[in-house]
Amino acid sequence: MKVGIIGLGYRMGYLARIFSLMVPGFTVVGYVDPAPAGLGYMKEHGIAAGRAHDSPDALLAAETLDLLMVGSPNAMHLDHIRAGLEHGVKVFAEKPVVTSQEDTFKLLELLRTHGTDSVMVGLVLRYASLYRDLTRMRDEGVLGDIVSIEASEHLAPYHGAFFMRDWRRYQHYSGGFMLEKCCHDIDLYQGLVGSRPVRVASFGGRRTFLPGNAPSAEGVNDMEVYHRKPSGWLSTDKVFDSDADIIDFQVAIVEFENGVALNFHTNINVPDEFRRFCVIGSKGMAEGDFVRNYFRVHDARTSQKLIDKSYETTELSAHYGADEQMAADIGKHLIDGAPLPVSVVDALAAGLTAIKMDEARASRAVLDLTDSWRRFDEALTGE
């Protein structure tokens, strides 16, 4: 399997290793990146990166590819995905797929021409054992009708500092923090509910990573805790006084078309981080935590604990064992046509919800998404 990479950052360098381990014959034959931060990681682990090319068109013209992997900054994804599709190559794109409502509709129009199977997306948590167990409880009727969900994604201070130092600190590149980081989680709960959001409201801003909150020690921006996670393109050493325009905390509430309600909270300065959910249904309750690796289910009528499970992960995985499963499943999909648990349309729907959450936060309004979904369907079907 011959693979090209556009945007060889740390994440894509890591994924090249994981795919090489999980997919027979996976070989990177070329890449495009003026500052390939992930190249050193690949060399360290014995993964060849192939030839460097000056542009996506040069890569696609010079190499015969089975897969194009897009890991460039989010705002560049649409152009790079389009280049792959127009050369007849299947594309794997990191999340989020695009950064605006209009680019969402543009990509849907492209998919109408090239087919929704032509693009795969790195919404890796759909492959996690914990999420698969949660959806099994739904499908087996253990939860009954889902009524409401409380969920969160909280990051440790070193990870929050990474966002203040990395290119992702600029909304015009990342699309904003809720989209960049939490589209995983939004996709999980939209997939679980099986319905689209009809109304959203949101509040948040930046209250932690500000100059007044910097530790008093001299050279705070060089302290180990705030530089544990390396950043690449457009990185800065500044943390509390960086020029970031992203938020560092946000809450959102969502009402779905089928009446289910979601309460979601993110914060990037949580010293004992967690990424948990509580799904409450008419017959039972399921709660779990991707970071702390547990899953519990209780019966609503008897309060009996039906499931109390923990999960083992390895140091290789950056997402609770899901990276390896995603690579293996995508390999089977490309080779044998095996189905995947998440589609590019799912990813675009989750992304649009995140975009609307940020619009609601900025406008301090409750937004009705009816017209956005109408345009979404029109772009995909042409009807």
Side-chain angles (χ1 to χ4, degrees), residues 1-6 12 15-16 19 23 26-30 59-60 63-70 84-85 88-93 117-121 326-327 330-331 333-335 340:
M1 181 182 295
K2 294 183 178 180
V3 180
I5 295 176
I6 300 175
M12 200 54 69
L15 283 182
F19 273 79
V23 181
F26 182 95
T27 305
V28 180
V29 297
L59 168 67
L60 291 160
E63 311 289 354
T64 301
L65 301 178
D66 299 300
L67 179 66
L68 176 68
M69 300 185 77
V70 174
L85 295 179
V89 179
K90 285 209 168 191
V91 177
F92 170 87
D117 281 346
S118 61
V119 178
M120 294 150 281
V121 182
M326 179 181 74
I330 287 177
H333 174 75
L334 291 169
I335 295 167
L340 295 174

Side-chain angles (χ1 to χ4, degrees), residues 44-198:
E44 179 185 347
H45 293 281
I47 309 299
R51 293 190 294 167
H53 295 271
D54 293 334
S55 68
D57 285 338
L59 168 67
L60 291 160
E63 311 289 354
T64 301
L65 301 178
D66 299 300
L67 179 66
L68 176 68
M69 300 185 77
V70 174
S72 50
N74 307 337
M76 303 177 187
H77 284 184
L78 179 60
D79 288 341
H80 295 158
I81 293 170
R82 181 189 289 113
L85 295 179
E86 290 178 349
H87 279 80
V89 179
K90 285 209 168 191
V91 177
F92 170 87
E94 255 304 323
K95 60 79 195 166
V97 194
V98 293
T99 58
S100 70
Q101 177 172 272
E102 293 308 315
D103 279 0
T104 298
F105 301 149
K106 289 176 183 177
L107 183 52
L108 287 166
E109 290 169 359
L110 277 173
L111 295 172
R112 193 168 77 218
T113 300
H114 296 278
T116 55
D117 281 346
S118 61
V119 178
M120 294 150 281
V121 182
L123 285 173
V124 65
L125 291 188
R126 282 272 195 144
Y127 297 83
S129 297
L130 171 54
Y131 185 67
R132 293 185 175 194
D133 285 342
L134 174 61
T135 56
R136 181 169 57 83
M137 291 296 96
R138 175 202 62 191
D139 294 343
E140 292 178 0
V142 175
L143 304 178
D145 294 328
I146 295 175
V147 177
S148 59
I149 302 171
E150 179 181 298
S152 61
E153 181 184 11
H154 293 328
L155 303 182
Y158 83 89
H159 205 161
F162 161 78
F163 279 97
M164 293 298 147
R165 295 170 23 243
D166 192 60
W167 60 262
R168 294 166 175 84
R169 70 187 183 274
Y170 299 127
Q171 293 187 65
H172 61 273
Y173 286 128
S174 66
F177 184 82
M178 183 64 80
L179 176 66
E180 154 63 28
K181 192 68 181 74
C182 303
C183 63
H184 277 307
D185 307 82
I186 295 167
D187 169 66
L188 292 185
Y189 305 119
Q190 285 189 188
L192 181 71
V193 169
S195 180
R196 289 172 169 174
V198 66

